[in-house]
Amino acid sequence: MDFNLTQEHSMIRDMVYAFTRREVMPIIRDYDRSHTFPKHLLPKMAEQGFLGVCLPVRYDGAGMDFISLGLVAEGLEYGDSSVRETVAVHLGLHALPIFQWGTDEQKREFLPPLARGENIGCFGLTEPGAGSDVAAMASRARKDGGDYLLSGEKMWITLSDVANRFLVFAKTSPDAGTNGITAFILERGWKGLTTGAIEGKMGVHASNTGWINMEDVRVPASHRLGEEGEGFKIAMSALDNARYTVAAGAIGIIRACIDESLAYARVRKTFGKPIIEYQLIQQMIANMGQSLAAGELLVWKAGWLKNQGVRNTRETSMAKWFCTDAARRAADDAVQIHGAYGYSDEYRVERHLRNTKSAVIYEGTSQIHTLMQAAYISGERKDKPMRCEMPAYDPSAWQSEA
Ligand SMILES: Cc1cc2nc3c(=O)[nH]c(=O)nc-3n(C[C@H](O)[C@H](O)[C@H](O)COP(=O)(O)OP(=O)(O)OC[C@H]3O[C@@H](n4cnc5c(N)ncnc54)[C@H](O)[C@@H]3O)c2cc1C
């Protein structure tokens, strides 16, 4: 057992944090205030390899492992959740499912432009009437010759207005429950496909969140991902990747809350002394430290299992549940430590508090993860092998050009 980051992982972490301090932190408050997606960061993130960090080099990825993916998420979310969301969705929910479930032809066609950031991908599962209960989805895909015609509405979709590739889910067999769902890759510009933004969010203002509308969108069979009826499994395996980035990102938030709280508490004085000297303040910071230490172990274990190619739905769910709840508490305490100043966006902790609420809702609410963990503990839930499992990380295969 080795709890140290390798030299390579330490370098990646330093590089991502440096990127966040240089490119994200100086500008993000203005983007958050104006509810604008910082589009100019996409080519910069692509240049650093973040948009394809754990994709093999032969698909123009950076050829790194899943721990590296977690470190990218952590470092980006140290600056802002919205920026980490881009990687979680584009890579975790769009590109990695193609890597796991796509045919060789689909991988060769779809992955390189995604890894290079020339195409941006999103993930459309949630609908106005179906969130946690995926099987309640109303979107339909019916066969028409060799094609499919897709109709339906997707809601709360991150990057819906930014993306030009859409991994969406629709029922091909409406009476078959989760076994009747199929996954499709759609392209912007196809007739019948429209998107729009959702206004009035509580947080992640610098993230683009919106809807996708599909009216008889003609999708060639070559754009079906996996077999008919495999959509639910594809969606759940995609969530295994993205939940991991959400958990790792929450570590970045906790770290930010500790740093901001320490800096403020050392200079803010009440009753003649810095507030850091009060044990009630120290307790809040110690609680953040406890969450950080425990959360990191959960994230790294999930990342390590991913590198081994071992199914990690249980561990990833635990990491996501624990870390996002802990980040929300840390941000709440960080605002408390900042007093009235924490209630304004003059300090970053106010943004972190609004942002952390989204992460306990998406990628499985905390209630859904509680139910999952209860079912694992009681033995009621056991994960069965899938037709396509994510392969174990093999550095020579991932870094080879061929
Ligand atoms: C900022 C943001 C970005 C998002 N991005 C995406 C995206 O890119 N793609 C995408 O597909 N979706 C996205 N979502 C949607 C997100 O995944 C859903 O909001 C989430 O799955 C919950 O679904 P819901 O909102 O419909 O809540 P519901 O499922 O309606 O749940 C409502 C409440 O009931 C609780 N609940 C539900 N079932 C149970 C149960 N069995 N037992 C106990 N409690 C229960 C829930 O925990 C919640 O508290 C995003 C959401 C947000 C806020």
Side-chain angles (χ1 to χ4, degrees):
M1 202 178 285
D2 185 352
F3 288 100
N4 290 314
L5 287 180
T6 63
Q7 203 183 358
E8 199 180 27
H9 288 141
S10 298
M11 279 167 54
I12 292 167
R13 177 143 89 178
D14 290 349
M15 195 257 279
V16 186
Y17 272 87
F19 176 89
T20 298
R21 289 199 169 92
R22 187 177 69 245
E23 304 287 351
V24 179
M25 290 167 75
I27 57 121
I28 201 68
R29 185 175 66 179
D30 288 344
Y31 283 82
D32 186 79
R33 275 185 179 171
S34 62
H35 294 221
T36 310
F37 178 78
K39 211 168 181 172
H40 72 283
L41 288 180
L42 287 175
K44 290 178 191 245
M45 288 202 282
E47 196 184 311
Q48 301 286 324
F50 299 162
L51 298 184
V53 62
C54 57
L55 286 174
V57 168
R58 67 183 182 281
Y59 299 124
D60 288 346
M64 306 290 184
D65 66 355
F66 285 94
I67 298 288
S68 308
L69 172 63
L71 293 170
V72 167
E74 178 194 316
L76 292 177
E77 193 145 1
Y78 184 83
D80 193 71
S81 306
S82 311
V83 184
R84 188 272 307 150
E85 276 185 8
T86 296
V87 173
V89 171
H90 168 82
L91 181 54
L93 287 176
H94 187 99
L96 284 177
I98 296 174
F99 177 57
Q100 183 172 349
W101 293 88
T103 61
D104 286 345
E105 210 171 30
Q106 287 174 327
K107 288 190 245 196
R108 275 197 304 272
E109 180 183 347
F110 296 132
L111 292 178
L114 290 167
R116 293 194 298 266
E118 290 159 16
N119 285 343
I120 297 296
C122 70
F123 176 86
L125 183 66
T126 306
E127 301 189 353
S132 310
D133 182 6
V134 173
M137 76 166 56
S139 292
R140 297 284 183 265
R142 60 191 161 83
K143 269 266 174 69
D144 187 59
D147 301 335
Y148 293 85
L149 291 176
L150 259 68
S151 291
E153 193 182 350
K154 299 293 176 181
M155 185 81 178
W156 296 108
I157 307 306
T158 304
L159 300 175
S160 69
D161 271 350
V162 173
N164 59 351
R165 293 291 181 276
F166 304 80
L167 176 56
V168 297
F169 299 83
K171 282 189 175 165
T172 39
S173 302
D175 299 327
T178 52
N179 291 326
I181 298 170
T182 303
F184 300 92
I185 301 159
L186 277 52
E187 298 187 11
R188 187 174 292 284
W190 284 1
K191 194 161 169 273
L193 176 80
T194 47
T195 65
I198 292 174
E199 309 290 345
K201 283 179 300 182
M202 175 193 287
V204 286
H205 291 160
S207 175
N208 167 248
T209 317
W211 48 263
I212 304 170
N213 197 49
M214 301 173 291
E215 279 178 42
D216 279 341
V217 180
R218 184 168 291 280
V219 182
S222 60
H223 280 237
R224 189 190 69 214
L225 186 64
E227 302 294 335
E228 274 191 22
E230 280 187 331
F232 183 75
K233 291 193 180 86
I234 294 173
M236 294 306 120
S237 65
L239 287 169
D240 278 351
N241 306 321
R243 282 172 181 164
Y244 170 68
T245 65
V246 175
I251 295 296
I253 293 262
I254 299 171
R255 210 180 278 286
C257 290
I258 292 174
D259 290 351
E260 309 275 335
S261 299
L262 278 177
Y264 186 81
R266 282 182 178 134
V267 296
R268 178 69 179 177
K269 287 188 179 159
T270 66
F271 307 104
K273 52 184 184 179
I275 60 171
I276 189 75
E277 291 184 22
Y278 298 120
Q279 286 184 343
L280 290 176
I281 298 289
Q282 291 169 18
Q283 183 181 32
M284 287 192 267
I285 296 174
N287 286 344
M288 295 178 202
Q290 184 189 46
S291 297
L292 179 66
E296 268 189 341
L297 292 180
L298 291 173
V299 170
W300 286 345
K301 182 172 179 193
W304 180 83
L305 288 170
K306 286 174 192 297
N307 279 349
Q308 312 305 308
V310 174
R311 183 77 178 273
N312 52 83
T313 305
R314 179 178 184 167
E315 291 77 8
T316 300
S317 153
M318 180 69 93
K320 192 274 180 187
W321 175 33
F322 178 86
C323 293
T324 55
D325 272 345
R328 188 177 47 79
R329 282 194 306 272
D332 198 1
D333 282 347
V335 168
Q336 196 69 16
I337 289 169
H338 284 68
Y341 290 99
Y343 201 65
S344 92
D345 71 1
E346 185 180 344
Y347 287 88
R348 299 188 186 104
V349 290
E350 177 267 353
R351 203 176 63 240
H352 294 325
L353 179 57
R354 285 186 285 107
N355 288 350
T356 49
K357 188 62 194 169
S358 67
V360 294
I361 294 174
Y362 54 54
E363 314 260 354
T365 64
S366 292
Q367 287 72 35
I368 293 300
H369 288 290
T370 308
L371 294 177
M372 283 173 70
Q373 293 301 326
Y376 280 124
I377 289 165
S378 68
E380 190 190 314
R381 177 174 175 140
K382 290 193 174 69
D383 293 324
K384 297 187 198 87
M386 292 178 295
R387 184 176 65 82
C388 298
E389 293 286 354
M390 184 65 88
Y393 177 70
D394 172 355
S396 58
W398 253 248
Q399 283 158 18
S400 144
E401 305 267 347

